[in-house]
Amino acid sequence: MFPDPFGIVHEPYKVVLQFAFEWIRSPEWNAPGYRNPGVTLWYILAGRRRLLAGPYAYDLQPGEVVLIPPNTTFMTEGGEGEGEAIHYLSASVSVYMHGIEWSEMYGLPPRFRIHHAQDGQRLKDGWYDLVRAWQPLHDLGEASGIGSGKLSISQASTQLQAQAVCLNWFAELIRVLEPHLMNPEPVVDERVREVCAFIQRSYAAPIRLGDLAKVANTSAGHLRLLFRTHLKVSPYQYLLQVRIGKAQGLLLATNRPLAEVAAEVGFEEYSHFLATFRKIVGMSPSHYRKNNPLYQ
C-alpha cells in the first residue's frame, strides 16, 4: 500500500476473480466460442482437445496450463483425444500490478507444462479450494445483488474468505508460471505506474490528459511518450480499455440497462460507449451479454 499524489491509499496488486469451475466434459462436447474480460485459465487433468484461441491452435494434453488473453474468442474441437472425455479446472481473473494488466506487463505464455508432480498437486489443490470458494460467492451475488450497496457482516465474511483463497491460488500459479514468462522482470516508469493506478481508481470520473499529466508531474506530451514506450498505447487508449473492462464486468454481473452501464464506467456519450466497446471487444455490448454463459 502506498499514497498517491492526492493522499489516497491504493493497492499495488489487485486480483479480481470472474469465475472458477471444475469440468468433466463428455467426449462429444466442444466449447462453441467464449470470450472473457479477464485472462482465462485451464488446467488439463485428463483427456485431450484442440484449442482455437484467436489465430492460434494448440493440442491440449494432461498436465498443461492454458492462458487465454482477455477478450480473445476461443473454442475447442476434437483433436488427438477425439472420443475421450476431458477433465479440467477453469478460472478467469483480472489482475493488475501497479495498475497495469498483468498479461501485458509480463508476457504470458499461451500454455506451459508442469513438470514436477509436487508443483502440479499444489496448484491443483489450490484450484479446488478456489472452486469451492467461488460457488458461495456466486450464489451470494445472485441472491442478494451485492451491487445494491447493502453488505451484511456475513456477506463481507464470504467475500473476504473468497478473496484470501483467490490470492493464495494466484500466488501459487505465478510461482509455477514464473520460468515461462516472456518478461518476468519488466521495467516500467514509476510515473506510468502512478497514472495507471489513478485510472484504475478514478475511471468513472471525467478525466482529461492534463489531469493525468498532473498525477505524473510531467507534461502531457511527455506522458504520451512514456505510455507509448512502456505500454504501447496512449494514456487515453489505456483509460478506454479500463472503462470497457469495467463495463464487461457490469454487463455479466447485473441486469442494468446498457446506457446506465455506460454512464457508470465514465462514458459521457452512449454512442461513444457503443463504438468503443465494439472496437475493443469485437461485438456489441448487448451481444456480449446475451451470448456469455456467465450472464445466463
Side-chain angles (χ1 to χ4, degrees), residues 44 46-50 60-62 77 79-82 84-86:
I44 311 301
R48 290 173 169 80
R49 283 295 188 280
R50 172 173 284 265
L60 305 180
Q61 300 181 13
E77 60 182 22
E80 296 178 6
E82 189 169 358
E84 181 181 4
I86 182 170

Side-chain angles (χ1 to χ4, degrees), residues 6-286:
F6 299 102
I8 301 173
V9 175
H10 58 89
E11 300 172 294
Y13 306 105
K14 184 177 181 180
V15 182
V16 179
L17 177 65
Q18 268 91 47
F19 64 77
F21 297 108
E22 177 189 16
W23 294 109
I24 301 178
R25 303 288 197 177
S26 68
E28 298 78 21
W29 174 86
N30 270 303
Y34 297 131
R35 177 190 290 254
N36 296 316
V39 173
T40 303
L41 302 107
W42 287 10
Y43 185 7
I44 311 301
L45 303 179
R48 290 173 169 80
R49 283 295 188 280
R50 172 173 284 265
L51 175 70
L52 309 176
Y56 304 104
Y58 310 101
D59 289 318
L60 305 180
Q61 300 181 13
E64 289 186 332
V65 177
V66 183
L67 301 100
I68 303 169
N71 291 316
T72 299
T73 300
F74 63 94
M75 62 190 69
T76 61
E77 60 182 22
E80 296 178 6
E82 189 169 358
E84 181 181 4
I86 182 170
H87 182 195
Y88 64 98
L89 299 169
S90 69
S92 181
V93 288
S94 293
V95 180
Y96 295 93
M97 308 291 197
H98 295 277
I100 303 174
E101 208 278 327
W102 72 306
S103 65
E104 298 175 357
M105 177 182 284
Y106 296 104
L108 304 185
R111 61 178 178 169
F112 68 94
R113 175 170 293 279
I114 299 178
H115 295 289
H116 301 292
Q118 186 177 7
D119 288 341
Q121 188 61 51
R122 288 177 58 179
L123 180 60
K124 184 165 65 173
D125 290 344
W127 213 311
Y128 275 119
D129 289 341
L130 187 68
V131 171
R132 286 190 289 268
W134 159 252
Q135 192 56 54
L137 187 66
H138 176 64
D139 294 343
L140 174 65
E142 286 192 335
S144 61
I146 292 175
S148 63
K150 298 179 180 179
L151 187 64
S152 70
I153 193 65
S154 63
Q155 291 172 333
S157 176
T158 299
Q159 288 187 321
L160 288 170
Q161 289 174 4
Q163 182 182 28
V165 171
C166 183
L167 290 174
N168 286 332
W169 165 80
F170 187 70
E172 184 62 30
L173 173 70
I174 60 175
R175 187 185 69 82
V176 299
L177 175 61
E178 182 178 1
H180 307 277
L181 295 174
M182 289 174 263
N183 189 22
E185 297 184 7
V187 178
V188 179
D189 190 281
E190 183 179 355
R191 291 164 292 184
V192 174
R193 299 201 307 265
E194 289 176 349
V195 170
C196 288
F198 174 80
I199 290 174
Q200 288 291 334
R201 297 190 309 277
S202 309
Y203 63 89
I207 297 177
R208 302 292 181 261
L209 182 60
D211 303 324
L212 301 179
K214 289 180 181 178
V215 171
N217 195 26
T218 188
S219 68
H222 189 56
L223 183 62
R224 287 196 195 95
L225 177 61
L226 289 173
F227 263 72
R228 289 289 183 187
T229 300
H230 292 278
L231 300 185
K232 313 304 180 188
V233 296
S234 70
Y236 182 64
Q237 288 170 325
Y238 181 84
L239 172 62
L240 292 181
Q241 290 174 2
V242 170
R243 285 176 170 170
I244 293 302
K246 301 295 183 181
Q248 288 176 276
L250 287 174
L251 288 170
L252 300 183
T254 72
N255 292 318
R256 296 177 189 175
L258 299 184
E260 185 177 320
V261 170
E264 184 158 340
V265 300
F267 283 91
E268 297 177 358
E269 297 181 4
Y270 180 56
S271 59
H272 185 208
F273 168 70
L274 293 178
T276 305
F277 194 100
R278 184 180 291 277
K279 181 178 181 179
I280 292 177
V281 181
M283 63 185 72
S284 69
S286 58

